[in-house]
Amino acid sequence: MHKHLLIGESGGSKTDWVLLDNKGQTTKFSGESLHPKNWLDFNFKKLNKQFEMAGIAPRESRLVFYGAGCNSFEQQNAFILLVQELSFSNVEVHGDLLAACLATLGEEDGFASILGSGSVLIEYENKKVVRHFGGLGREIGDEGAGFYFGKLVSGAYQKDKLNSTQKSILESVLAKKQPISLKKGDFSEETCLELAFLLSEKTHEFMDFHRENFKLFFRKYVDLPKNTTIHFVGSYAYFHESILKQVCNAYGYHPGKIIARPMEALIAFYKKEILK
């Protein structure tokens, strides 16, 4: 019997970890993202040190991992091989699509969406992900996500389409981030990803960009019967909930649960298993 259950939930920017003991007690900590794009250079020694500090003995622990980029059997098997050196006695891998559905729908059929650093709409049936729409990646998709908001704002700046207030705010937050003069074309992928956070206190001033971002998501990925309820997971959705609800209603759908991350729901799900 395993002494501990370790739950990992990884997005594009970080991984949340929760250790559950056989009494249902929890220890929580966060670390670097375990997205497949980071596997080649991932620092497993650092992660092992974090495990030690949290009192985790891999040989006595079962690992259940939910990760962005781990929705195919090929990636899931690759992850199992990747963590072999950590010596867990049992490893179970799922994609972040399933985590979003478990957190919002539980055992019910329906639709959930991830609007975080990336975007995707998920159809969930019989406790399984049966289809998804979007999830195309930053090069050709991610409308409705935090990254795409940054892409819209940076694009408007480059084309001199920001109003004077928006331009002043953007230049101010970027100057604080890195004290160099901002030049056109300086917007890296990392900067686009950070803009939603950097401008989080200026939602009203950039309302038109948030609204357009959500509209693009519904126009491109959502073609469901009217009055369908859609649940949302992701920090971008959570911190712009009122705008998201307005756009969702405008397209004829009902906004359901809107949560930042699925971990708390996953903890509750596995506590039932441990304590039953």
Side-chain angles (χ1 to χ4, degrees):
M1 181 177 177
H2 301 106
K3 185 178 180 181
H4 296 126
L5 169 64
L6 179 64
I7 308 169
E9 190 271 310
S10 185
S13 56
K14 70 170 184 173
T15 302
D16 288 334
W17 298 98
V18 172
L19 180 68
L20 269 174
D21 66 21
N22 53 18
K23 295 180 180 179
Q25 299 300 308
T26 61
T27 302
K28 302 178 184 179
F29 59 99
S30 294
E32 297 174 19
S33 168
L34 265 166
H35 190 282
K37 67 183 180 182
N38 300 325
W39 288 356
L40 187 61
D41 301 314
F42 194 81
N43 190 339
F44 279 99
K45 288 184 179 179
K46 182 179 178 180
L47 182 59
N48 245 335
K49 191 68 177 176
Q50 286 184 298
F51 287 168
E52 287 178 18
M53 292 175 67
I56 298 168
R59 293 185 185 280
E60 300 176 0
S61 304
R62 172 188 170 205
L63 171 62
V64 180
F65 181 81
Y66 293 86
C70 292
N71 291 291
S72 71
F73 289 117
E74 291 80 8
Q75 292 288 41
Q76 290 166 10
N77 289 332
F79 181 85
I80 291 172
L81 292 173
L82 188 74
V83 298
Q84 277 185 343
E85 63 184 271
L86 297 177
S87 302
F88 282 95
S89 58
N90 184 282
V91 179
E92 182 181 320
V93 187
H94 305 282
D96 60 338
L97 305 188
L98 181 60
C101 293
L102 284 174
T104 55
L105 289 158
E107 298 185 357
E108 297 180 6
D109 296 346
F111 294 88
S113 176
I114 298 175
L115 298 180
S117 56
S119 65
V120 63
L121 174 71
I122 313 151
E123 183 176 0
Y124 183 66
E125 189 176 295
N126 296 323
K127 303 181 191 177
K128 294 180 180 179
V129 172
V130 292
R131 285 193 300 169
H132 71 273
F133 310 88
L136 302 176
R138 295 170 190 170
E139 292 79 10
I140 58 173
D142 279 351
E143 292 88 347
F147 170 79
Y148 208 84
F149 166 79
K151 192 173 179 179
L152 289 172
V153 172
S154 62
Y157 179 84
Q158 290 168 326
K159 295 174 183 176
D160 289 320
K161 290 187 176 181
L162 294 182
N163 63 41
S164 58
T165 300
Q166 292 169 335
K167 183 177 179 181
S168 176
I169 291 170
L170 178 63
E171 290 180 342
S172 176
V173 299
L174 289 174
K176 291 176 183 176
K177 180 177 179 291
Q178 48 185 115
I180 58 173
S181 59
L182 182 67
K183 299 177 182 178
K184 305 237 175 183
D186 268 354
F187 292 92
S188 65
E189 186 174 288
E190 180 185 357
T191 300
C192 286
L193 188 59
E194 290 181 336
L195 279 181
F197 171 74
L198 293 171
L199 298 172
S200 60
E201 295 182 0
K202 302 294 181 179
T203 296
H204 177 74
E205 289 82 354
F206 288 87
M207 182 85 70
D208 48 344
F209 288 96
H210 292 299
R211 187 176 287 112
E212 178 61 19
N213 194 21
F214 288 133
K215 284 181 177 179
L216 286 169
F217 172 77
F218 281 93
R219 286 204 294 262
K220 189 168 182 179
Y221 303 119
V222 187
D223 184 17
L224 302 173
K226 296 303 179 185
N227 298 316
T228 297
T229 295
I230 305 172
H231 303 281
F232 298 91
V233 176
S235 55
Y236 184 71
Y238 181 78
F239 288 110
H240 302 92
E241 178 178 336
S242 62
I243 307 170
L244 175 57
K245 284 183 174 179
Q246 290 171 11
V247 175
C248 188
N249 286 323
Y251 277 85
Y253 304 112
H254 294 305
K257 297 175 185 175
I258 302 178
I259 62 175
R261 297 186 72 89
M263 182 56 89
E264 290 303 317
L266 293 176
I267 292 171
F269 179 82
Y270 285 103
K271 267 190 177 180
K272 289 180 183 178
E273 177 185 304
I274 288 173
L275 299 176
K276 68 181 179 181

